[in-house]
Amino acid sequence: MSLRAVSSVTGCGYALRSRLASALTLSSTEGPLGPLGAKRHLPKRGTKPLPQFLWDKKHLEELTGGEYTHKPLRVNRLGGRDPETGRKVNQHIGGGVKFDYFMIDNCRRGPSNFGAFYEERVLEVRRDPNRGPHIALVAGSKGKRWILATENMSAGQVIKTSQHIPDNPVLAAEGNAYPLGALSPGTVINSIEKYPGKGGEFIIAAGSSAEVVRHQGDYVVIRMPNKHEFALHKECMATVGKLSHGDLKDKIFGSPNMHRRFGYRPSSGLFHKKDGYFGRKIRRLPPVRTLDQPDLPPCDKLALTLTKTDLTGLFGTANVHNLLASGYSGRDYHDE
Amino acid sequence: MGRFTVPEAVQTLGLPVYDPNDADFPRKTTPDPVQINHPAFRKPTLQDHVLYNEKPSLVLDGTDAEPMSAGLAQAGALLNAVIRKGFPDRLLKAASGVGDLPKHSDRLCDAIMHAERYDPTLEKLPRRHDPVLFWVVHPRMHGTPRIARNNILLDNLFRYSSVALKAQLSNANPQLAQLFEDFRIDRDEPLSSILPNGCSSEQHGVKDLVVRSHPHLTIQSSKVFSPWASSEEVEATAKEIVPDIRPIDPTIDLKSDHIYNREAVLARSWIPLHVHSIMWSREQDQKYPWTKEQLAANAIAHCFGAAVAQATRYGEVVDGRLKRPIVTRAVQLVDGRLDLVAFQLNTVDLNNRNSVKNIAWIEPAQQLYKPGPIWENYEKVVDLNESAFVKFFATLLG
């Protein structure tokens, strides 16, 4: 850290103060316009979504033994707090009535040979207090499971899943699941896998849907509701249709108390001055992002034990035996 | 100053080295856990269970059952049975005279009020759940639990049928008196039956089918009961088609378990008796109640279990074939509604769709009366339906 030389042109006291203020921070991002002006190339604040700490996944694993069950469960809730650090990560979440938790199976898997499907019948479509879209209980030869319901899904309907990618695109029916490579451009889809085999991660909000734009070799380009485009592997599975409960955004809770019953905590209520982050920004769309390989998991944290000497932080000529300060000598002692 | 390390020369001597910074220096702060190799100190595993079997079976458990997803059609597909809605007319006609007896409705009301109001049990009842006002926490009430009330009602109905009606109708129908005389009644006895290679599925392959339940009343008799369907009618079922519930597999609601009885478990198994009927009650979950179809399918499955227990009890099954048809009856009481079932077991080969089929007669959801909520006192019988009792009596007569 070093103080920059003060400009000889002292006409702008504000520029001097801002430079000193920014220099005293440890920001290393400086450009031609100085530290404050160089932030425009950085990702927008809040772009990367925070992890949602809603339900305790460890408790869920304890209850189910790591296996899937369609039965309603009572899972502990975290109130937006990180289970390891205990700190609040997600604002305005906490309390509320203890709703039953239904495990949702996002993995739609089926046979990959031509003409073969895994068929399931929809037994029930119901609301889920833990998520926006409705959920559907489907039963097939492998058992029962809950999935996210599409808009027109109803009890008695038979839905199919296939992992076969034919030469010509399929005539996709709503509720069926196909790989992206089997869908024709213009197909409305939801619950899209980011990487093959990982389960539906894109488009899980109520009423939302994405669109298949084009096929590009081994990748398929899809357009999100915010018009951003992603190129995903053609083996990634997606469900055809729009997700249910599209009118959720128009519904109102009716009272602050009802908000609290659903587990939402109030905002601070204090006045917060709006800064440059607020307001509509008109920007170019980013280029198509190709999701080729999943991000590597974070490395295991190393647990180090430092010696007493390491803990002192002393090095060089200062790194002497700790007893020397008490009057001991480094020289040999002779018997007197 | 580097960290102290034990010199190699000392290490080669093999001397014990103690670290003064260790918590257990110079003596242990916590004693070593006692290692005793004795069965009493070993945590029991699944394999130690008395009823453990290496080969798992598919179990339909009455106490922890899943509702049948496809209802009656699934029961038919699983049990290789054709479902007939409604009892034979001859039985309904034979039982129809009960309505003319004096004070009949008063006696029925008494039987119901004994269960709903007069019982002095004070147990903690489940907390009331309101699906609309879901945030309201209602106080815990005390009273007679729903299953206890229903069991009392079943007892009363059976007693009224077997004692009072028998006494009144026996002059007109002497065979009726003989029928009820020989009944042996057991309460709350377990019932378990096993059908080797009873079901096959894509997911599980061919497995044994175990049906176990805990009926409140198990009624047996030394007499052999004649089947409801004649041999010609049974042969005709070979041409009938069992419901096809694809894509649902009939076994998806059964659970795979290693712990089950390899022989039939029945009350009074040491006496040569024949199961006449079983009666039990169910309490509906407040949040996720079963539908009428699911309840009816459950009743058929348990009636089948009783029939198989009877069949396998005295070696009626030889080389996978049944010597003679066996008929059992079942009564399930849920929220004032009676599910009346009679099951005729004609074949134990449940996977062969070309053979004769089993037959199940059912009168589903016969509302005997309208019960009130469990947290309120029930002052008066509401909507008493005597025709439901007529069908109940017909079930016992058949």
Side-chain angles (χ1 to χ4, degrees):
Chain A
M1 185 183 77
S2 60
L3 290 175
R4 294 179 64 216
V6 175
S7 169
S8 58
V9 178
T10 56
C12 184
Y14 175 75
L16 169 64
R17 277 201 298 279
S18 67
R19 280 184 182 175
L20 281 173
S22 62
L24 285 170
T25 63
L26 292 173
S27 169
S28 59
T29 57
E30 291 188 0
L33 296 176
L36 281 176
K39 290 218 170 135
R40 58 177 66 225
H41 68 282
L42 290 172
K44 199 171 73 168
R45 187 172 81 204
T47 340
K48 192 166 181 183
L50 289 168
Q52 294 289 301
F53 293 116
L54 300 172
W55 307 291
D56 193 346
K57 289 181 183 164
K58 269 191 186 160
H59 185 227
L60 179 64
E61 247 189 69
E62 273 171 33
L63 289 175
T64 59
E67 293 189 2
Y68 178 84
T69 175
H70 67 276
K71 294 186 183 180
L73 303 165
R74 270 292 173 91
V75 184
N76 292 340
R77 296 199 293 202
L78 297 172
R81 277 146 181 93
D82 189 319
E84 284 173 25
T85 61
R87 292 181 180 182
K88 186 160 67 171
V89 173
N90 309 118
Q91 302 269 34
H92 312 133
I93 290 175
V97 166
K98 293 184 176 74
F99 295 115
D100 286 346
Y101 179 80
F102 294 93
M103 288 180 79
I104 305 296
D105 191 3
N106 286 322
C107 280
R108 297 281 298 259
R109 294 275 168 269
S112 50
N113 37 325
F114 170 69
F117 293 96
Y118 177 60
E119 289 180 317
E120 291 168 295
R121 179 171 298 143
V122 177
L123 298 178
E124 184 190 351
V125 177
R126 64 178 293 142
R127 287 180 311 172
D128 187 354
N130 299 304
R131 65 197 79 247
H134 294 321
I135 52 174
L137 180 64
V138 298
S141 59
K142 292 181 192 165
K144 293 197 278 201
R145 58 182 179 159
W146 291 99
I147 60 169
L148 295 180
T150 54
E151 203 174 6
N152 298 317
M153 210 178 252
S154 56
Q157 184 183 341
V158 175
I159 56 173
K160 296 179 184 178
T161 309
S162 167
Q163 281 184 266
H164 175 68
I165 302 177
D167 295 332
N168 295 321
V170 297
L171 205 63
E174 193 197 298
N176 292 357
Y178 300 97
L180 289 174
L183 297 168
S184 55
T187 310
V188 172
I189 51 176
N190 65 80
S191 301
I192 310 157
E193 289 183 335
K194 274 187 187 173
Y195 305 100
K198 295 278 269 178
E201 292 183 48
F202 277 146
I203 310 295
I204 53 172
S208 58
S209 59
E211 193 189 342
V212 175
V213 176
R214 61 180 180 274
H215 293 260
Q216 252 175 226
D218 284 339
Y219 292 87
V220 173
V221 176
I222 58 167
R223 186 179 296 132
M224 297 299 189
N226 59 0
K227 300 194 184 97
H228 288 208
E229 291 182 358
F230 287 86
L232 307 177
H233 279 281
K234 64 180 182 182
E235 295 95 23
C236 292
M237 295 294 288
T239 309
V240 177
K242 205 166 80 150
L243 277 171
S244 52
H245 212 182
D247 59 342
L248 177 64
K249 60 181 187 314
D250 301 324
K251 289 184 180 176
I252 54 169
F253 284 95
S255 69
N257 287 346
M258 191 60 94
H259 249 114
R260 299 300 302 273
R261 287 170 197 142
F262 278 90
Y264 295 106
R265 296 195 65 225
S267 311
S268 72
L270 300 171
F271 173 71
H272 297 284
K273 176 75 183 163
K274 287 188 174 19
D275 61 14
Y277 173 70
F278 294 89
R280 182 169 161 235
K281 306 289 185 291
I282 299 171
R283 293 202 183 100
R284 247 177 300 166
L285 287 172
V288 175
R289 276 163 279 191
T290 304
L291 299 186
D292 184 28
Q293 294 288 332
D295 293 337
L296 292 171
C299 302
D300 290 336
K301 288 183 189 167
L302 297 175
L304 302 172
T305 305
L306 302 181
T307 62
K308 284 184 180 173
T309 316
D310 292 335
L311 284 166
T312 60
L314 300 172
F315 60 93
T317 51
N319 187 9
V320 295
H321 196 279
N322 61 346
L323 289 179
L324 285 179
S326 310
Y328 287 92
S329 166
R331 295 190 293 273
D332 293 334
Y333 289 95
H334 298 286
D335 292 331
E336 289 179 10
Chain B
M1 190 171 177
R3 195 179 175 194
F4 172 77
T5 51
V6 178
E8 281 183 24
V10 176
Q11 282 178 17
T12 50
L13 290 173
L15 297 170
V17 177
Y18 300 99
D19 181 5
N21 291 327
D22 192 13
D24 289 334
F25 182 83
R27 60 189 72 84
K28 278 194 177 292
T29 50
T30 52
D32 285 328
V34 178
Q35 302 280 346
I36 299 176
N37 192 13
H38 187 275
F41 295 94
R42 276 203 302 266
K43 202 173 172 184
T45 59
L46 189 69
Q47 284 75 10
D48 294 331
H49 197 282
V50 170
L51 298 175
Y52 175 79
N53 294 277
E54 210 172 297
K55 186 183 160 196
S57 68
L58 290 176
V59 178
L60 203 151
D61 201 332
T63 48
D64 187 25
E66 268 286 305
M68 296 235 181
S69 313
L72 286 172
Q74 187 174 351
L78 179 67
L79 308 176
N80 199 18
V82 290
I83 312 288
R84 307 243 192 273
K85 285 206 179 152
F87 283 170
D89 290 332
R90 58 176 176 85
L91 285 171
L92 294 172
K93 201 173 166 185
S96 59
V98 296
D100 303 328
L101 296 171
K103 292 186 186 174
H104 172 66
S105 56
D106 288 342
R107 287 176 196 269
L108 280 182
C109 287
D110 264 346
I112 292 166
M113 289 307 288
H114 271 143
E116 291 280 349
R117 188 72 176 96
Y118 303 150
D119 189 67
T121 309
L122 272 182
E123 278 183 25
K124 219 174 191 179
L125 299 173
R127 203 182 281 279
R128 176 181 165 187
H129 168 74
D130 193 328
V132 176
L133 305 176
F134 57 87
W135 59 91
V136 176
V137 178
H138 291 279
R140 291 298 287 265
M141 307 298 279
H142 290 73
T144 315
R146 184 66 81 193
I147 287 188
R149 293 184 197 202
N150 288 347
N151 286 346
I152 294 168
L153 179 53
L154 283 173
D155 274 331
N156 290 345
L157 290 176
F158 179 72
R159 202 176 294 117
Y160 177 48
S161 308
S162 62
V163 177
L165 288 174
K166 183 191 90 176
Q168 291 180 15
L169 290 173
S170 57
N171 289 333
N173 192 345
Q175 286 177 352
L176 189 62
Q178 289 175 6
L179 171 70
F180 284 104
E181 252 172 31
D182 196 39
F183 277 161
R184 321 290 173 90
I185 301 123
D186 290 284
R187 288 183 173 80
D188 298 322
E189 291 289 332
L191 193 151
S192 172
S193 59
I194 178 167
L195 199 57
N197 300 328
C199 45
S200 70
S201 68
E202 217 179 280
Q203 194 184 357
H204 301 285
V206 178
K207 286 228 166 85
D208 300 342
L209 175 62
V210 172
V211 182
R212 52 185 182 220
S213 59
H214 216 105
H216 177 60
L217 288 175
T218 309
I219 300 151
Q220 301 181 81
S221 171
S222 56
K223 296 188 185 58
V224 176
F225 300 105
S226 52
W228 283 25
S230 62
S231 53
E232 291 82 23
E233 285 168 338
V234 169
E235 291 301 321
T237 58
K239 292 178 193 154
E240 287 190 50
I241 300 168
V242 155
D244 184 14
I245 56 168
R246 266 182 299 176
I248 300 174
D249 190 86
T251 59
I252 57 167
D253 295 310
L254 307 178
K255 66 174 185 184
S256 185
D257 202 354
H258 286 269
I259 298 189
Y260 53 91
N261 290 88
R262 286 230 57 91
E263 285 93 33
V265 173
L266 262 177
R268 303 187 199 221
S269 50
W270 58 92
I271 306 170
L273 294 171
H274 300 268
V275 175
H276 176 266
S277 51
I278 55 171
M279 298 190 192
W280 72 97
S281 57
R282 260 193 64 86
E283 185 175 10
Q284 289 275 57
D285 189 24
Q286 287 188 73
K287 284 190 197 170
Y288 311 106
W290 289 17
T291 60
K292 290 178 194 172
E293 275 261 330
Q294 289 170 339
L295 289 168
N298 186 57
I300 290 177
H302 285 95
C303 197
F304 165 81
V308 170
Q310 178 59 39
T312 53
R313 190 181 191 178
Y314 302 126
E316 300 266 357
V317 178
V318 175
D319 293 335
R321 297 186 65 143
L322 202 55
K323 279 185 193 169
R324 56 175 185 84
I326 289 169
V327 65
T328 50
R329 298 142 199 84
V331 176
Q332 178 180 252
L333 177 59
V334 182
D335 281 352
R337 288 198 194 93
L338 291 163
D339 293 298
L340 307 164
V341 178
F343 194 94
Q344 182 164 325
L345 189 70
N346 299 315
T347 173
V348 292
D349 186 3
L350 303 184
N351 303 316
N352 186 357
R353 294 291 187 245
N354 298 323
S355 69
V356 296
K357 312 286 184 304
N358 300 316
I359 309 173
W361 291 266
I362 182 160
E363 292 275 6
Q366 301 299 311
Q367 182 103 51
L368 179 64
Y369 72 107
K370 199 170 172 198
I374 202 165
W375 52 85
E376 283 178 7
N377 282 334
Y378 196 67
E379 303 296 348
K380 199 175 74 164
V381 175
V382 177
D383 291 346
L384 177 69
N385 179 15
E386 293 181 22
S387 63
F389 179 77
V390 169
K391 291 179 182 172
F392 171 83
F393 191 56
T395 315
L396 299 178
L397 286 183

